Amino acid sequence: MKGTLSNVPIAKELDIVGARQTGRNIANDLGFSSVDQARIATAISELARNIYLYAKKGEITFQQVEGVAPVGLKIIAKDNGPGIKDISKSMIDGYSTSGGLGAGLPGVKRLMDDFDIMSSDEGTTIHVIKWLR
């Protein structure tokens, strides 16, 4: 089945765990290896954590897509928060505004195959895709 597989609202810290588990289950169902499932789950954790910390609420959407490979898992992290003031700075390894380790968005980009970010003062949307190999 192509298209949207699930939407997970992010409004409290526990929702991060729910999004991570949903993504891992979907990745397993689509046939991703356990290593890629771990990569996907880690990326989801970071995206959902950013929503929770910076925007307070948002949504993680999971979609099955076709393109580079016959099967891909697209994850869309969307919020209506304050936006990312300096996207290029947020993509530098080690940069953090929360005092965290700073693996953040550069880490998500490395874990996934495709990465796209759009941000304004009306919110942020990040699209990432992992292709089944």
Side-chain angles (χ1 to χ4, degrees), residues 46-119:
E46 182 62 32
L47 294 170
R49 180 182 159 280
N50 284 350
I51 290 171
Y52 175 72
L53 285 178
Y54 300 111
K56 307 302 180 213
K57 62 182 179 179
E59 182 176 68
I60 302 283
T61 301
F62 301 94
Q63 296 177 345
Q64 182 178 341
V65 294
E66 291 180 349
V68 173
V71 176
L73 176 58
K74 182 176 192 174
I75 300 156
I76 303 166
K78 183 171 176 42
D79 67 58
N80 295 316
I84 299 170
K85 301 296 178 230
D86 188 341
I87 291 174
S88 60
K89 196 180 246 187
S90 74
M91 295 305 296
I92 296 171
D93 280 321
Y95 178 77
S96 174
T97 58
S98 68
L101 297 175
L105 295 177
V108 171
K109 186 175 183 177
R110 280 190 299 274
L111 290 166
M112 303 300 281
D113 298 318
D114 296 343
F115 178 95
D116 185 53
I117 182 169
M118 297 153 286
S119 191

Side-chain angles (χ1 to χ4, degrees), residues 1-67:
M1 174 189 167
K2 288 186 282 302
T4 299
L5 303 172
S6 184
N7 294 306
V8 178
I10 306 296
K12 55 187 182 294
E13 197 166 14
L14 192 58
D15 295 336
I16 299 168
V17 176
R20 179 183 172 97
Q21 191 59 51
T22 298
R24 185 182 280 274
N25 291 343
I26 290 170
N28 182 59
D29 291 347
L30 292 175
F32 284 91
S33 70
S34 58
V35 171
D36 276 346
Q37 289 175 43
R39 289 180 178 125
I40 290 165
T42 302
I44 293 165
S45 291
E46 182 62 32
L47 294 170
R49 180 182 159 280
N50 284 350
I51 290 171
Y52 175 72
L53 285 178
Y54 300 111
K56 307 302 180 213
K57 62 182 179 179
E59 182 176 68
I60 302 283
T61 301
F62 301 94
Q63 296 177 345
Q64 182 178 341
V65 294
E66 291 180 349

